Structures are given as C-alpha cells and as structure tokens.
Coordinates of all heavy atoms in Angstrom, one line a residue:
M233 N 0.8 -1.2 0.0 CA 0.0 0.0 0.0 C 0.9 1.3 0.0 O 1.8 1.4 0.8 CB -0.9 0.0 1.3 CG -2.0 -1.0 1.2 SD -3.3 -0.6 0.1 CE -4.2 0.7 1.0
P234 N 0.6 2.2 -0.9 CA 1.3 3.5 -0.9 C 0.9 4.3 0.3 O -0.2 4.1 0.9 CB 0.9 4.1 -2.2 CG -0.4 3.5 -2.5 CD -0.5 2.1 -1.9
A235 N 1.8 5.2 0.7 CA 1.4 6.1 1.8 C 0.2 7.0 1.4 O 0.0 7.2 0.2 CB 2.6 7.0 2.2
A236 N -0.5 7.5 2.4 CA -1.7 8.3 2.1 C -1.2 9.5 1.3 O -0.2 10.1 1.6 CB -2.3 8.7 3.4
D237 N -1.9 9.9 0.3 CA -1.6 11.0 -0.6 C -2.0 12.3 0.1 O -3.2 12.5 0.4 CB -2.3 10.8 -1.9 CG -2.0 12.0 -2.8 OD1 -1.2 12.9 -2.5 OD2 -2.7 12.0 -3.9
P238 N -1.0 13.1 0.5 CA -1.3 14.4 1.2 C -2.2 15.3 0.3 O -2.9 16.2 0.8 CB 0.1 15.0 1.5 CG 1.0 14.3 0.5 CD 0.4 13.0 0.2
G239 N -2.1 15.1 -1.0 CA -2.9 15.9 -1.9 C -4.2 15.3 -2.3 O -4.8 15.5 -3.3
A240 N -4.8 14.5 -1.4 CA -6.1 13.8 -1.7 C -7.1 14.8 -1.9 O -7.1 15.9 -1.4 CB -6.5 12.9 -0.5
P241 N -8.1 14.5 -2.8 CA -9.1 15.5 -3.2 C -9.9 16.0 -1.9 O -10.2 15.2 -1.0 CB -10.1 14.7 -4.1 CG -9.6 13.3 -4.1 CD -8.3 13.2 -3.4
A242 N -10.3 17.2 -2.0 CA -11.0 17.8 -0.8 C -12.4 17.3 -0.7 O -13.0 17.4 0.4 CB -11.1 19.3 -1.0
A243 N -12.9 16.6 -1.7 CA -14.2 16.0 -1.6 C -14.3 15.1 -0.4 O -15.4 14.9 0.2 CB -14.6 15.3 -2.9
D244 N -13.2 14.4 -0.1 CA -13.2 13.5 1.1 C -13.6 14.2 2.4 O -14.2 13.6 3.3 CB -11.9 12.8 1.2 CG -11.7 11.7 0.2 OD1 -12.7 11.4 -0.5 OD2 -10.6 11.2 0.1
D245 N -13.2 15.4 2.5 CA -13.4 16.2 3.7 C -14.9 16.2 4.0 O -15.4 16.2 5.2 CB -12.9 17.6 3.6 CG -11.4 17.6 3.6 OD1 -10.8 16.5 3.8 OD2 -10.8 18.7 3.3
G246 N -15.7 16.4 3.0 CA -17.2 16.4 3.2 C -17.7 15.1 3.7 O -18.5 15.1 4.7
L247 N -17.2 14.0 3.2 CA -17.6 12.7 3.7 C -17.2 12.6 5.2 O -18.0 12.1 6.0 CB -16.9 11.6 2.9 CG -17.7 11.1 1.7 CD1 -16.9 10.0 1.0 CD2 -19.0 10.6 2.0
V248 N -16.0 12.9 5.5 CA -15.6 12.8 6.9 C -16.4 13.7 7.8 O -16.8 13.3 8.9 CB -14.1 13.2 7.0 CG1 -13.6 13.3 8.5 CG2 -13.2 12.2 6.3
A249 N -16.7 14.9 7.4 CA -17.6 15.8 8.2 C -18.9 15.2 8.4 O -19.5 15.3 9.5 CB -17.7 17.1 7.5
D250 N -19.5 14.6 7.3 CA -20.8 13.9 7.5 C -20.7 12.8 8.5 O -21.6 12.7 9.4 CB -21.2 13.3 6.2 CG -21.9 14.3 5.2 OD1 -22.1 15.5 5.7 OD2 -22.1 14.0 4.1
E251 N -19.6 12.0 8.5 CA -19.5 10.9 9.5 C -19.4 11.5 10.9 O -19.9 11.0 11.8 CB -18.3 10.1 9.1 CG -18.5 9.0 8.1 CD -17.3 8.2 7.8 OE1 -16.4 8.1 8.6 OE2 -17.2 7.7 6.6
H252 N -18.6 12.6 11.0 CA -18.5 13.2 12.3 C -19.8 13.7 12.8 O -20.1 13.5 14.0 CB -17.5 14.4 12.2 CG -16.0 13.9 12.2 ND1 -15.0 14.8 12.2 CD2 -15.5 12.7 12.2 CE1 -13.8 14.1 12.1 NE2 -14.1 12.8 12.1
R253 N -20.6 14.3 12.0 CA -21.9 14.8 12.4 C -22.8 13.7 12.8 O -23.5 13.8 13.8 CB -22.5 15.6 11.3 CG -22.2 17.1 11.3 CD -23.1 17.9 10.4 NE -22.9 17.6 9.0 CZ -21.9 18.2 8.3 NH1 -21.1 19.1 8.8 NH2 -21.8 17.8 7.0
A254 N -22.8 12.5 12.1 CA -23.6 11.4 12.4 C -23.2 10.8 13.8 O -24.0 10.5 14.6 CB -23.5 10.3 11.3
L255 N -21.9 10.7 14.0 CA -21.4 10.2 15.3 C -21.8 11.1 16.4 O -22.2 10.7 17.5 CB -19.8 10.1 15.2 CG -19.3 8.8 14.6 CD1 -17.8 8.9 14.5 CD2 -19.6 7.6 15.4
L256 N -21.7 12.4 16.1 CA -22.0 13.4 17.1 C -23.5 13.3 17.5 O -23.9 13.3 18.7 CB -21.7 14.8 16.6 CG -21.4 15.9 17.6 CD1 -20.2 15.5 18.5 CD2 -21.2 17.2 16.9
R257 N -24.3 13.1 16.5 CA -25.8 13.0 16.8 C -26.0 11.7 17.6 O -26.8 11.7 18.5 CB -26.6 13.0 15.5 CG -26.9 14.3 14.9 CD -28.0 14.3 13.9 NE -27.6 13.4 12.8 CZ -27.0 13.8 11.7 NH1 -26.7 15.1 11.6 NH2 -26.7 13.0 10.7
A258 N -25.4 10.6 17.2 CA -25.5 9.4 18.0 C -25.1 9.5 19.4 O -25.8 9.1 20.3 CB -24.8 8.3 17.3
A259 N -24.0 10.2 19.6 CA -23.5 10.4 21.0 C -24.4 11.3 21.8 O -24.7 11.1 22.9 CB -22.1 11.1 20.9
E260 N -25.0 12.3 21.1 CA -26.0 13.2 21.8 C -27.2 12.5 22.2 O -27.7 12.7 23.3 CB -26.3 14.4 20.9 CG -25.3 15.5 20.9 CD -25.5 16.5 19.8 OE1 -26.4 16.4 19.0 OE2 -24.7 17.5 19.8
R261 N -27.7 11.6 21.3 CA -28.9 10.8 21.6 C -28.6 9.9 22.8 O -29.4 9.7 23.7 CB -29.3 9.9 20.5 CG -30.2 10.6 19.5 CD -31.0 9.5 18.7 NE -30.1 8.6 17.9 CZ -29.6 8.9 16.7 NH1 -29.9 10.0 16.1 NH2 -28.8 8.0 16.1
L262 N -27.4 9.3 22.8 CA -27.0 8.4 23.9 C -26.9 9.2 25.2 O -27.4 8.7 26.3 CB -25.6 7.8 23.6 CG -25.2 6.6 24.4 CD1 -26.1 5.4 24.2 CD2 -23.8 6.1 24.0
L263 N -26.3 10.3 25.2 CA -26.2 11.2 26.4 C -27.5 11.6 26.9 O -27.8 11.6 28.1 CB -25.3 12.4 26.1 CG -23.8 12.3 26.2 CD1 -23.1 13.6 25.8 CD2 -23.5 11.9 27.6
D264 N -28.4 11.9 26.0 CA -29.8 12.3 26.3 C -30.5 11.2 27.0 O -31.1 11.3 28.1 CB -30.6 12.7 25.1 CG -31.9 13.2 25.4 OD1 -32.0 14.2 26.2 OD2 -32.9 12.7 24.9
G265 N -30.3 9.9 26.5 CA -30.9 8.8 27.1 C -30.3 8.5 28.5 O -31.1 8.2 29.4
V266 N -29.0 8.6 28.6 CA -28.4 8.4 29.9 C -28.9 9.5 30.9 O -29.2 9.2 32.1 CB -26.8 8.5 29.8 CG1 -26.2 8.5 31.2 CG2 -26.3 7.3 29.0
D267 N -29.0 10.7 30.5 CA -29.5 11.8 31.3 C -30.9 11.5 31.9 O -31.1 11.6 33.0 CB -29.6 13.1 30.5 CG -28.6 14.1 30.9 OD1 -27.7 13.8 31.7 OD2 -28.8 15.3 30.5
R268 N -31.7 11.0 31.0 CA -33.1 10.8 31.4 C -33.1 9.5 32.3 O -33.9 9.5 33.3 CB -34.0 10.5 30.2 CG -34.2 11.8 29.4 CD -35.3 11.7 28.4 NE -35.0 10.7 27.4 CZ -35.9 10.1 26.7 NH1 -37.2 10.3 26.9 NH2 -35.6 9.2 25.8
A269 N -32.3 8.5 32.0 CA -32.3 7.3 32.9 C -31.8 7.7 34.3 O -32.3 7.3 35.3 CB -31.4 6.3 32.2
L270 N -30.8 8.6 34.3 CA -30.2 9.0 35.6 C -31.3 9.8 36.4 O -31.5 9.6 37.6 CB -29.0 9.9 35.5 CG -27.7 9.1 35.1 CD1 -26.6 10.1 34.9 CD2 -27.3 8.1 36.2
G271 N -32.1 10.6 35.7 CA -33.1 11.4 36.3 C -34.2 10.5 36.8 O -34.7 10.7 37.9
S272 N -34.5 9.4 36.1 CA -35.5 8.5 36.6 C -35.0 7.7 37.8 O -35.8 7.2 38.6 CB -36.0 7.6 35.4 OG -35.0 6.6 35.1
L273 N -33.7 7.4 37.8 CA -33.2 6.8 39.0 C -33.3 7.6 40.2 O -33.7 7.2 41.3 CB -31.7 6.5 38.8 CG -31.3 5.2 38.0 CD1 -29.8 5.2 37.8 CD2 -31.7 4.0 38.8
D274 N -33.1 8.9 40.0 CA -33.3 9.9 41.1 C -34.7 9.9 41.6 O -34.9 10.0 42.8 CB -32.9 11.3 40.6 CG -31.4 11.6 40.8 OD1 -30.8 10.8 41.5 OD2 -31.0 12.6 40.3
D275 N -35.7 10.0 40.7 CA -37.1 10.1 41.2 C -37.8 8.8 41.4 O -39.0 8.7 41.6 CB -37.9 11.1 40.3 CG -38.1 10.5 38.9 OD1 -38.0 9.3 38.7 OD2 -38.4 11.3 38.0
G276 N -37.0 7.7 41.2 CA -37.5 6.4 41.5 C -38.4 5.8 40.4 O -39.0 4.7 40.6
S277 N -38.4 6.4 39.2 CA -39.2 5.8 38.2 C -38.4 5.0 37.2 O -39.0 4.6 36.1 CB -39.9 7.0 37.4 OG -39.0 7.8 36.7
Y278 N -37.1 4.7 37.5 CA -36.3 4.0 36.5 C -36.9 2.6 36.3 O -37.4 1.9 37.3 CB -34.9 3.8 37.1 CG -34.0 3.0 36.1 CD1 -33.6 3.6 34.9 CD2 -33.7 1.7 36.4 CE1 -32.8 2.9 34.0 CE2 -32.9 1.0 35.5 CZ -32.4 1.6 34.3 OH -31.7 0.9 33.5
G279 N -37.0 2.1 35.1 CA -37.5 0.8 34.8 C -39.0 0.8 34.5 O -39.6 -0.2 34.4
T280 N -39.6 2.0 34.5 CA -41.0 2.1 34.2 C -41.2 3.0 33.0 O -40.4 3.9 32.7 CB -41.8 2.8 35.3 OG1 -41.4 4.0 35.6 CG2 -41.8 1.9 36.6
C281 N -42.2 2.8 32.2 CA -42.5 3.5 31.0 C -42.8 5.0 31.3 O -43.5 5.3 32.2 CB -43.7 2.9 30.3 SG -44.3 3.9 28.8
E282 N -42.1 5.9 30.6 CA -42.2 7.3 30.9 C -43.6 7.9 30.4 O -44.0 8.9 30.8 CB -41.1 8.2 30.2 CG -41.1 8.1 28.7 CD -40.0 8.9 28.1 OE1 -39.2 9.5 28.8 OE2 -39.9 8.8 26.9
V283 N -44.3 7.0 29.6 CA -45.6 7.5 29.1 C -46.7 7.0 30.0 O -47.6 7.7 30.5 CB -45.9 7.0 27.7 CG1 -47.3 7.4 27.2 CG2 -44.8 7.5 26.7
C284 N -46.7 5.6 30.3 CA -47.9 5.1 31.0 C -47.5 4.5 32.4 O -48.4 4.2 33.2 CB -48.5 4.0 30.2 SG -47.5 2.5 29.9
G285 N -46.2 4.4 32.7 CA -45.8 4.0 34.0 C -45.7 2.5 34.2 O -45.4 2.0 35.3
T286 N -46.0 1.7 33.1 CA -45.9 0.3 33.2 C -44.4 -0.1 33.4 O -43.5 0.6 32.8 CB -46.4 -0.3 31.8 OG1 -47.7 0.0 31.6 CG2 -46.2 -1.8 31.9
S287 N -44.1 -1.1 34.2 CA -42.7 -1.5 34.3 C -42.2 -2.1 33.1 O -42.9 -2.9 32.4 CB -42.6 -2.4 35.5 OG -43.3 -3.6 35.4
V288 N -41.0 -1.7 32.8 CA -40.3 -2.2 31.6 C -39.6 -3.5 31.9 O -39.0 -3.7 33.0 CB -39.3 -1.2 31.0 CG1 -38.5 -1.7 29.8 CG2 -40.0 0.1 30.7
D289 N -39.7 -4.5 31.0 CA -39.1 -5.8 31.2 C -37.6 -5.7 31.5 O -36.8 -5.0 30.9 CB -39.3 -6.7 30.0 CG -39.1 -8.2 30.3 OD1 -37.9 -8.6 30.4 OD2 -40.1 -8.9 30.4
D290 N -37.1 -6.5 32.6 CA -35.7 -6.5 33.0 C -34.8 -6.9 31.8 O -33.7 -6.4 31.7 CB -35.5 -7.4 34.1 CG -36.0 -6.8 35.5 OD1 -36.2 -5.6 35.5 OD2 -36.1 -7.6 36.4
R291 N -35.3 -7.9 31.0 CA -34.4 -8.3 29.9 C -34.2 -7.2 28.9 O -33.2 -7.1 28.3 CB -35.0 -9.6 29.3 CG -34.6 -10.8 30.0 CD -35.5 -12.0 29.5 NE -36.9 -11.7 29.7 CZ -37.9 -12.6 29.5 NH1 -37.6 -13.8 29.1 NH2 -39.1 -12.2 29.7
D292 N -35.3 -6.4 28.7 CA -35.2 -5.3 27.8 C -34.2 -4.3 28.3 O -33.4 -3.6 27.6 CB -36.6 -4.6 27.5 CG -37.5 -5.5 26.7 OD1 -37.0 -6.4 26.1 OD2 -38.7 -5.3 26.7
L293 N -34.2 -4.1 29.6 CA -33.3 -3.1 30.2 C -31.9 -3.6 30.2 O -31.0 -2.8 30.1 CB -33.7 -2.9 31.7 CG -35.0 -1.9 31.9 CD1 -35.4 -1.9 33.4 CD2 -34.7 -0.5 31.4
E294 N -31.7 -4.9 30.2 CA -30.4 -5.4 30.1 C -29.8 -5.1 28.7 O -28.6 -4.8 28.6 CB -30.3 -6.9 30.3 CG -30.1 -7.3 31.8 CD -30.2 -8.8 32.0 OE1 -29.7 -9.6 31.1 OE2 -30.7 -9.2 33.0
E295 N -30.7 -5.2 27.7 CA -30.3 -5.0 26.4 C -30.0 -3.5 26.2 O -29.1 -3.1 25.5 CB -31.3 -5.4 25.4 CG -31.0 -6.7 24.7 CD -32.1 -7.1 23.7 OE1 -32.5 -6.3 22.9 OE2 -32.6 -8.2 23.8
D296 N -30.9 -2.7 26.7 CA -30.8 -1.2 26.5 C -31.1 -0.5 27.9 O -32.3 -0.2 28.2 CB -31.8 -0.8 25.4 CG -31.7 0.7 25.1 OD1 -30.9 1.4 25.8 OD2 -32.5 1.1 24.2
P297 N -30.1 -0.3 28.7 CA -30.3 0.2 30.0 C -30.9 1.6 30.1 O -31.4 2.0 31.1 CB -28.8 0.3 30.6 CG -28.0 -0.6 29.7 CD -28.7 -0.5 28.4
V298 N -31.0 2.3 29.0 CA -31.6 3.6 29.0 C -33.0 3.6 28.4 O -33.5 4.7 28.0 CB -30.7 4.7 28.3 CG1 -29.4 4.8 29.1 CG2 -30.5 4.5 26.9
L299 N -33.5 2.4 28.2 CA -34.8 2.3 27.7 C -35.8 2.9 28.6 O -35.9 2.6 29.8 CB -35.1 0.8 27.5 CG -36.3 0.3 26.7 CD1 -36.1 0.8 25.2 CD2 -36.4 -1.2 26.7
M300 N -36.7 3.8 28.1 CA -37.6 4.5 29.0 C -39.0 4.3 28.7 O -39.9 5.0 29.2 CB -37.3 6.0 28.9 CG -35.9 6.5 29.3 SD -35.5 6.2 31.0 CE -36.5 7.5 31.7
R301 N -39.3 3.3 27.8 CA -40.7 3.1 27.5 C -41.0 1.6 27.4 O -40.2 0.7 27.1 CB -41.0 3.7 26.1 CG -40.8 5.2 26.1 CD -41.3 5.9 24.9 NE -41.3 7.3 25.1 CZ -42.0 8.1 24.3 NH1 -42.7 7.7 23.3 NH2 -42.0 9.4 24.6
C302 N -42.3 1.2 27.6 CA -42.8 -0.1 27.5 C -42.9 -0.4 26.0 O -42.9 0.5 25.2 CB -44.1 -0.2 28.2 SG -45.5 0.6 27.3
P303 N -43.0 -1.7 25.6 CA -43.1 -2.1 24.2 C -44.2 -1.3 23.5 O -44.0 -1.0 22.3 CB -43.4 -3.6 24.3 CG -42.9 -4.0 25.6 CD -43.1 -2.9 26.5
Q304 N -45.3 -1.0 24.2 CA -46.4 -0.4 23.5 C -46.1 1.1 23.1 O -46.6 1.5 22.1 CB -47.6 -0.4 24.5 CG -48.9 0.0 23.8 CD -50.0 0.1 24.9 OE1 -49.9 -0.4 26.0 NE2 -51.1 0.9 24.5
H305 N -45.3 1.7 23.9 CA -45.0 3.1 23.7 C -43.6 3.4 23.0 O -43.2 4.5 22.8 CB -45.1 4.0 24.9 CG -46.5 4.1 25.4 ND1 -46.9 3.5 26.6 CD2 -47.6 4.6 24.8 CE1 -48.3 3.8 26.7 NE2 -48.7 4.4 25.7
R306 N -42.9 2.2 22.8 CA -41.6 2.4 22.3 C -41.6 2.8 20.8 O -40.9 3.7 20.4 CB -40.9 1.0 22.4 CG -39.4 1.1 22.7 CD -38.9 -0.3 23.1 NE -39.4 -0.6 24.4 CZ -39.4 -1.9 24.9 NH1 -39.0 -2.9 24.1 NH2 -39.8 -2.1 26.1
G307 N -42.5 2.1 20.1 CA -42.6 2.5 18.7 C -41.4 2.1 17.9 O -40.4 1.5 18.5
P308 N -41.3 2.4 16.6 CA -40.1 2.1 15.8 C -39.0 3.0 16.3 O -39.2 4.1 16.7 CB -40.5 2.5 14.4 CG -41.7 3.5 14.6 CD -42.3 3.2 15.9
R309 N -37.8 2.4 16.2 CA -36.6 3.1 16.7 C -36.4 4.3 15.8 O -36.4 4.2 14.5 CB -35.4 2.2 16.6 CG -35.3 1.3 17.9 CD -34.0 0.6 17.8 NE -34.0 -0.4 19.0 CZ -33.6 0.0 20.2 NH1 -33.1 1.2 20.4 NH2 -33.6 -0.8 21.2
R310 N -36.1 5.5 16.4 CA -35.8 6.7 15.5 C -34.4 6.6 15.2 O -33.5 6.3 16.0 CB -36.1 7.9 16.3 CG -37.6 8.3 16.3 CD -37.9 9.4 17.3 NE -37.5 8.9 18.6 CZ -37.5 9.7 19.7 NH1 -37.7 11.0 19.6 NH2 -37.2 9.3 20.9
E311 N -34.1 7.0 14.0 CA -32.7 7.1 13.5 C -32.3 8.5 13.2 O -33.1 9.2 12.8 CB -32.4 6.2 12.3 CG -32.4 4.7 12.7 CD -31.4 4.4 13.8 OE1 -30.3 5.0 13.8 OE2 -31.6 3.4 14.5
Ligands
ZN1137 ZN1 -46.1 2.7 28.1

C-alpha cells in the first residue's frame, strides 16, 4: 500500500464531516438517554415507561439500560 496522498481530493473532507456529524448525533442521543435514565433513577421511576408507568421488562433493560418506554409506547426506533 502506498502512503496516504497528502494531496487527496478535498471532496473526502465532506464525507468525513458527514461521518463526524452522524457520530455526534448518535453520541448526543446516547447522552440524552443516559441523562433521562439518571433522572428516573433519582425520582424512582427507573424501569417504568415514561408514558404510562408500566414497568419495563428487565431483559429489555439489560439490552438497553436507557430504555424509558414499554413495548407499547416504544414504537419504531428513531434514527
Ligand atoms: Zn407505556
């Protein structure tokens, strides 16, 4: 493999910026989820649906510890 070309086309920068923005959005969603989960731990509602108060399955919480909704109110995952 040749060394990376320092004169690589600038078009690549756009792609990298897009990837960075996507990562940033994913990180922000994660932080938002952690924030809300911590808040629910504080007020004692952790593990219950934020919409209807139904308890969320432990196995679902193991998969996604910041899950804040029961299956009925979860809906399709937002991307
Ligand atoms: Zn619910």
Side-chain angles (χ1 to χ4, degrees):
M233 287 288 284
D237 179 5
D244 282 354
D245 292 349
L247 271 179
V248 169
D250 278 352
E251 274 177 29
H252 283 183
R253 271 195 293 275
L255 276 173
L256 205 59
R257 276 197 300 272
E260 278 168 358
R261 272 200 304 271
L262 195 62
L263 274 178
D264 185 56
V266 169
D267 246 14
R268 289 194 298 155
L270 285 175
S272 73
L273 275 173
D274 270 350
D275 67 20
S277 67
Y278 181 74
T280 60
C281 173
E282 65 183 355
V283 179
C284 67
T286 301
S287 59
V288 178
D289 198 282
D290 283 347
R291 276 168 303 189
D292 289 343
L293 283 173
E294 268 177 38
E295 258 181 50
D296 185 357
V298 300
L299 197 61
M300 301 293 290
R301 296 191 173 196
C302 70
Q304 193 187 337
H305 291 115
R306 215 166 289 161
R309 280 185 183 275
R310 280 168 299 170
E311 286 303 330

